[in-house]
Amino acid sequence: MRGHNDLLVTGAAVLGGERADVLVRGGLVVAVGPEATADTAGSGTDVERVDADGLVLLPGFVDLHTHLREPGREDAETVRSGSAAAAAGGFTAILAMANTTPVTDTGEAAEHVLDLGVAAGLADVRPIGAVTKGLQGVELAELGMMHRSRARVRVFSDDGRCVHDSRVMRRALEYVRAFDAVVSQHAQDPALAGPSACCHEGEISGRLGLTGWPAVAESSIIARDAELALHTGSRVHVAHVTTAEGVEAVRWAKRRGARITAEVTPHHLLLTTDLLRSYDPVYKVNPPLRPQEDVDALREALVDGTIDAVATDHAPHARHDKEHAFPDAAFGMLGLETAFSVVHDVMVASGRMDWAMLIERMSTGPARIAGLADHGQTIRPGSPANLVLVDPGAEVTVDPGASLSLSRNTPFAGRTLTGRVRTTILNGRITAADGEVRP
Amino acid sequence: MTRHLLSVADLDDDALRSVLSTATEMHDVQHRAVKKIPTLRGRTVINLFFEDSTRTRSSFEIAGKWMSADTINITGKGSSASKGESLRDTVRTIAAMGVDAIVMRHQASGAAHQVADWFDESGVATSVLNAGDGTHEHPTQALLDAYTLERRLGSLEGKRIAIVGDITHSRVFRSNVLALPRLGAHVTVVAPPTLMPSGVTAWAAADGFALADDLDEVIDSGVDALMMLRVQRERMAGGFFPTPREYTVGYGLTRDRLAALTAHNPDAVICHPGPMNRGLEIAADAADAASSLVLDQVSAGVAVRMSVLYHLLASDGTVEGADLRREGRATKGSHA
Ligand SMILES: [Zn+2]
């Protein structure tokens, strides 16, 4: 088995700065700089060399928002295939959303997902627990049991659905304070648009005859949750914020001292609601694609820190669940394999963001929010070897056929983006290289 | 002419004119003793109705039969569509039987567009004719409305037409605002604010129609035609307006409003796409008035659908200068 070998990464820009060699041994970074090469010379063990000339070495990415579909819809994705996609995308840790069948709302269910992740061995898979039983929004799930289980659940979410009952949300926040967990909220008041909403409410939805969610459905829930977070002293996390109004609500809440964090998806940083004119269900996602003004506000908020993290909301779907009329098709898009390229293209290559900020938003920040000590650590001797090598100069033309996911619903098909993931290292072992998984 | 008819926007000005003028010729067929012309002999048209509409389906069926096409009705209920099959699989199966056109009614906005795109991508030659998709469009309804209004009022150039009622959920409205202004009409859209579509202000400015929320003011300003829209029963439970009574008082074509309409303009006419909720959006007196074009619309519906089928499917010659070249769908989606 690989992983007991030493790994010597040569010539990479470490954390986007100086070029250095990095030696990995026993799952840890053991040397950075000239000592790394010197150390290997006399060690006597097998050394696998990775030539990283022109590449940048970063802590591995952490995804706060992945849908893995197992158990229940293994035709769309499994923990194994989703982990493979994660590894190919440079992720070393992913948090698996609870809306599977059955729902992850017990300690046993959480341990089951954890064990499947360990068996796959391609990423650190951490289950997210449901806030309410069966995602029904009525009774709290066994939050403490999930936390006490081997899965040590520290993020809870009914994602896909908003915890819209104020009393339930208050109790959830109060309850998880005992173990410093966080509630990740799909902020979208379901009453404001009704059950047939399927896109952004605006001029385009009006013309297309589609029912939309107004921006206020998002911002009003964020504002309410901020008040509850202040009242309870607990942590709330806003999943996939999408609107300028939502960003403003998070900004206001942070100014007031609420313990609130927020994430944005790559697709909301790049795509707009104009794409819906084609009625192509590949662009159907919840929360929906918004107009350019919102995209601009999200980019700005990601830079100024109002938004703390990028999260993929990777949502694989079988082909036949997307091949319906737009209002009847499933919500969701793939995201794990394209996340870095999209963020790099939109934020780094454009000069909006530097490498330190990219690391903070895609690795360090999300690891801190989820309480993952082994990820998002600065690369130095003694830190866990959860790493990714990226090539900022390479272009990627997104090909759904090459995806390691079991599904093909990527909205980026055919797009050319700058910035490519080359090699992903989990616990000192290479999990993926150039889009191929290493078994 | 286009390969598919999904939206009024698929018709350029020449094609729009051509469809309306051919409809005049087709209308004459209805008055013959033997209502049959051979134009579409050997052609197969499927009426694929996922949503019930006896009126529209019968109109298309008669239009096809009078032109000697083989017309077959398939309803969504009981078809494979209701057994969990994807829409794409359903329509591909039907197209694979070698049909020339699918006339499609679907409860979801955009369904006909998607089917046409799937056909185009995979090289399926079947034409798609949108017979109503959700709350999006109903192009043949707008064409028959334009045809009916022109027959009664003459040219629509400078004519004032008000479209009244549940604008948000109306495919009749969405198709008519793409047709009537292009024929020279001044269109005013009247509804309570809860039944106006999102973003309609920008939309009205871009597409050249006016907005109003007071029906009496619109009638008093003088109109040549009032197009009343049907109010769906389920909207009453959706909180869009307080009670049916209040709706009628605010937006119904009551006996008093009928009198005001006629007082301002004795030639003013009334349209309704049917079926009517008598006593709700239209009073019985108005529905049955001499100025009501409701039955003219039904009769024109067959002629206009014959014309549209002719333009989509007849490929052997021209009728009175109508251009029969089948071109790519250049304007697809450009309206939206
Ligand atoms: Zn969500």
Side-chain angles (χ1 to χ4, degrees):
Chain A
M1 181 173 165
R2 214 187 296 273
H4 295 294
N5 294 351
D6 288 359
L7 202 60
L8 181 66
V9 179
T10 59
V14 179
L15 297 174
E18 297 283 294
R19 277 167 54 109
D21 295 348
V22 175
L23 180 65
V24 170
R25 179 178 293 154
L28 297 176
V29 172
V30 293
V32 179
E35 320 83 85
T37 329
D39 190 319
T40 51
S43 75
T45 50
D46 282 349
V47 178
E48 180 173 5
R49 286 171 181 271
V50 178
D51 176 9
D53 198 31
L55 308 185
V56 180
L57 186 67
L58 310 170
F61 305 135
V62 175
D63 189 19
L64 286 169
H65 197 142
T66 306
H67 296 276
L68 289 179
R69 308 299 182 210
E70 185 179 10
R73 283 305 302 269
E74 291 82 355
D75 60 324
E77 197 79 290
T78 61
V79 172
R80 161 123 200 139
S81 65
S83 302
F91 290 89
T92 52
I94 54 177
L95 284 101
M97 274 298 172
N99 63 337
T100 47
T101 314
V103 172
T104 308
D105 58 2
T106 63
E108 293 79 3
E111 289 180 351
H112 178 59
V113 173
L114 180 79
D115 293 343
L116 289 168
V118 170
L122 294 168
D124 198 348
V125 178
R126 301 297 184 100
I128 290 175
V131 177
T132 64
K133 285 179 193 160
L135 309 178
Q136 294 301 304
V138 181
E139 297 173 89
L140 292 184
E142 291 182 342
L143 307 173
M145 297 293 276
M146 287 187 269
H147 178 69
R148 283 184 203 98
S149 77
R150 283 187 287 110
R152 307 297 301 166
V153 176
R154 289 189 66 191
V155 181
F156 295 94
S157 182
D158 277 1
D159 183 61
R161 300 183 184 185
C162 180
V163 181
H164 60 95
D165 184 311
S166 308
R167 185 185 55 82
V168 173
M169 188 62 180
R170 173 195 174 170
R171 294 292 178 231
L173 286 169
E174 284 174 341
Y175 198 82
V176 303
R177 198 177 55 213
F179 35 94
D180 195 32
V182 61
V183 176
S184 173
Q185 173 72 292
H186 183 125
Q188 187 169 261
D189 186 341
L192 268 175
S196 55
C198 62
C199 64
H200 169 72
E201 181 183 294
E203 186 186 344
I204 289 173
S205 69
R207 285 176 179 268
L208 295 178
L210 298 172
T211 307
W213 287 286
V216 67
E218 176 174 288
S219 54
S220 59
I221 291 290
I222 295 174
R224 181 205 69 176
D225 287 353
E227 292 286 358
L228 290 172
L230 284 164
H231 178 75
T232 58
S234 297
R235 287 200 291 143
V236 69
H237 177 74
V238 186
H240 42 44
V241 61
T242 60
T243 62
E245 292 86 344
V247 163
E248 207 44 58
V250 174
R251 200 170 272 140
W252 163 83
K254 286 190 167 179
R255 230 175 15 238
R256 293 185 66 202
R259 299 176 76 198
I260 188 169
T261 52
E263 71 189 31
V264 64
T265 73
H267 50 267
H268 289 114
L269 287 171
L270 178 57
L271 308 178
T272 67
T273 192
D274 296 74
L275 291 162
L276 269 51
R277 293 173 199 269
S278 67
Y279 286 107
D280 187 338
V282 81
Y283 301 118
K284 184 178 176 185
V285 66
N286 179 10
L289 300 179
R290 304 286 188 177
Q292 187 64 47
E293 308 87 82
D294 293 302
V295 171
D296 293 340
L298 295 170
R299 291 172 176 181
E300 193 186 312
L302 188 62
V303 170
D304 73 21
T306 303
I307 296 175
D308 305 84
V310 173
T312 68
D313 196 4
H314 178 81
H317 285 293
R319 206 179 281 268
H320 56 267
D321 290 324
K322 278 285 192 184
E323 288 183 341
H324 292 280
F326 189 91
D328 305 331
F331 288 102
M333 303 172 165
L334 299 184
L336 285 169
E337 288 159 292
T338 47
F340 168 75
S341 297
V342 172
V343 174
H344 180 268
D345 194 79
V346 171
M347 303 302 294
V348 181
S350 66
R352 293 184 175 93
M353 230 182 198
D354 61 15
W355 287 106
M357 193 181 287
L358 179 113
I359 294 162
E360 173 62 27
R361 302 287 185 263
M362 290 194 71
S363 179
T364 314
R368 190 167 53 237
I369 291 165
L372 302 181
D374 290 345
H375 299 268
Q377 297 295 313
T378 304
I379 300 171
R380 59 180 169 226
S383 61
N386 293 315
L387 306 165
V388 61
L389 270 171
V390 300
D391 185 346
E395 289 196 335
V396 177
T397 301
V398 179
D399 171 15
S403 175
L404 298 179
S405 169
L406 294 181
S407 296
R408 293 291 172 264
N409 52 307
T410 172
F412 304 114
R415 273 184 197 256
T416 299
L417 303 162
T418 59
R420 171 175 211 131
V421 172
R422 287 290 182 204
T423 307
T424 309
I425 299 166
L426 174 69
N427 295 324
R429 189 173 68 82
I430 293 175
T431 49
D434 290 319
E436 306 258 344
V437 169
R438 292 257 195 113
Chain B
M1 190 62 191
T2 62
R3 191 164 92 84
H4 309 292
L5 181 65
L6 309 174
S7 160
V8 169
D10 290 340
L11 301 171
D12 61 21
D13 288 346
D14 286 349
L16 179 58
R17 267 285 142 230
S18 177
V19 166
L20 295 177
S21 67
T22 306
T24 309
E25 293 159 46
M26 296 304 181
H27 215 148
D28 295 339
V29 174
Q30 292 182 36
H31 304 296
R32 293 185 193 172
V34 177
K35 297 178 179 61
K36 201 91 167 172
I37 55 175
T39 317
L40 296 184
R41 183 176 293 145
R43 300 276 182 174
T44 304
V45 178
I46 303 275
N47 287 325
L48 180 59
F49 276 56
F50 293 89
E51 181 185 79
D52 281 341
S53 172
T54 307
R55 178 182 300 237
T56 302
R57 185 177 44 71
S58 313
S59 182
F60 271 108
E61 189 174 2
I62 292 167
K65 286 199 189 312
W66 284 356
M67 297 173 84
S68 306
D70 293 305
T71 61
I72 294 151
N73 294 322
I74 300 177
T75 54
K77 284 175 189 159
S79 79
S80 49
S82 60
K83 293 170 191 143
E85 188 178 59
S86 77
L87 177 61
R88 184 177 171 131
D89 283 344
T90 303
V91 295
R92 278 203 311 198
T93 304
I94 291 166
M97 296 172 189
V99 306
D100 297 290
I102 290 179
V103 174
M104 189 172 140
R105 163 68 65 98
H106 199 283
Q107 61 281 0
S109 300
H113 279 78
Q114 289 171 260
V115 170
D117 282 348
W118 291 329
F119 285 178
D120 290 347
E121 282 162 16
S122 50
V124 173
T126 306
S127 290
V128 179
L129 207 167
N130 182 6
D133 60 325
T135 54
H136 179 229
E137 277 210 53
H138 192 0
T140 57
Q141 178 71 41
L143 294 169
L144 76 87
D145 288 341
Y147 175 84
T148 308
L149 287 167
E150 280 198 337
R151 268 174 76 100
R152 182 68 167 255
L153 300 176
S155 164
L156 296 185
E157 193 65 50
K159 294 290 192 299
R160 294 153 300 173
I161 301 172
I163 306 177
V164 186
D166 181 358
I167 301 298
T168 293
H169 302 98
S170 175
R171 51 196 173 207
V172 175
F173 149 74
R174 281 182 182 75
S175 284
N176 264 297
V177 287
L178 293 176
L180 296 174
R182 283 169 55 192
L183 296 168
H186 299 300
V187 174
T188 302
V189 168
V190 191
T194 48
L195 288 174
M196 283 287 194
S198 55
V200 74
T201 310
W203 180 6
D207 290 7
F209 58 91
L211 301 171
D213 53 21
D214 188 318
L215 179 55
D216 293 308
E217 280 179 12
V218 171
I219 289 175
D220 289 346
S221 72
V223 292
D224 297 294
L226 271 187
M227 186 178 288
M228 306 305 297
L229 300 178
R230 175 178 167 80
V231 174
Q232 304 282 333
R233 292 279 163 190
E234 61 262 32
R235 305 296 168 225
M236 296 171 203
F240 292 97
F241 50 86
T243 60
R245 184 173 67 160
E246 184 164 326
Y247 182 87
T248 303
V249 169
Y251 297 92
L253 180 49
T254 57
R255 187 189 294 201
D256 288 349
R257 289 198 176 104
L258 176 65
L261 178 72
T262 316
H264 285 290
N265 179 356
D267 298 326
V269 295
I270 298 159
C271 298
H272 191 297
M276 296 181 281
N277 292 304
R278 286 174 183 255
L280 178 58
E281 74 264 0
I282 190 165
D285 287 1
D288 300 330
S291 54
S292 167
L293 300 181
V294 172
L295 293 177
D296 301 56
Q297 287 173 279
V298 175
S299 163
V302 176
V304 164
R305 284 164 182 136
M306 289 171 77
S307 173
V308 167
L309 287 171
Y310 171 82
H311 278 81
L312 289 179
L313 297 180
S315 59
D316 49 354
T318 58
V319 171
E320 307 289 350
D323 187 347
L324 297 179
R325 281 170 301 152
R326 288 159 64 102
E327 294 163 13
R329 185 152 48 92
T331 56
K332 190 194 95 181
S334 59
H335 64 290

